[in-house]
Amino acid sequence: MPFIELETNLPASRIPEGLESRLCAAAATILDKPEDRVSVMIRPGVTLLMNKSTEPCAHLRVSSIGVVGTAEQNRGHSSGFFKFLTEELSLNQDRIIIRFFPVEPWQIGKNGTVVTFL
């Protein structure tokens, strides 16, 4: 059950139409999870400072059960997400940060319970 959160200081007008759907599909492929389980949130126009600069940049947060947690796993995921984001947002890699957060099933509420019991 991956959660993908993209925050960027790019204005909404510079976010390509349909990005949420393409990011969902890319995340499913990169993380080897079913696309219908991926949740995507995009927040354009946030105030961000990276490397002492407010030039266009983005932060991507990737949270998931079982597939983010080791350096080896995240290294491969990072490569895929960087390729996707540099192409879609026209940003250089040094203007993108990706943060990986492993999640346990008991930490996600769904259908009135937690994933542990589903």
Side-chain angles (χ1 to χ4, degrees):
M1 197 163 205
F3 298 93
I4 310 298
E5 299 176 51
L6 176 64
E7 296 176 314
T8 180
N9 57 359
L10 291 169
S13 62
R14 290 229 3 233
I15 301 300
E17 188 172 330
L19 178 64
E20 65 282 355
S21 296
R22 290 188 303 281
L23 180 53
C24 179
T29 299
I30 292 164
L31 300 174
D32 195 27
K33 294 282 190 171
E35 193 171 336
D36 65 347
R37 300 260 175 102
V38 178
S39 179
V40 172
M41 181 184 304
I42 298 176
R43 292 184 199 102
V46 299
T47 302
L48 286 175
L49 174 79
M50 185 186 300
N51 303 332
K52 296 185 180 183
S53 171
T54 57
E55 290 297 313
C57 61
H59 287 193
L60 184 73
R61 180 188 312 212
V62 179
S63 306
S64 189
I65 298 170
V67 295
V68 298
T70 69
E72 291 77 18
Q73 287 173 315
N74 294 346
R75 182 178 177 183
H77 303 330
S78 183
S79 175
F81 282 116
F82 270 104
K83 181 177 184 331
F84 177 85
L85 292 173
T86 55
E87 291 172 2
E88 287 283 342
L89 299 179
S90 299
L91 294 174
N92 291 329
Q93 286 191 6
D94 68 338
R95 301 302 299 159
I96 300 169
I97 293 288
I98 301 174
R99 296 175 291 161
F100 295 98
F101 294 92
V103 193
E104 297 296 326
W106 56 267
Q107 294 175 305
I108 299 171
K110 185 174 179 180
N111 295 335
T113 186
V114 293
V115 173
T116 302
F117 300 110
L118 295 177

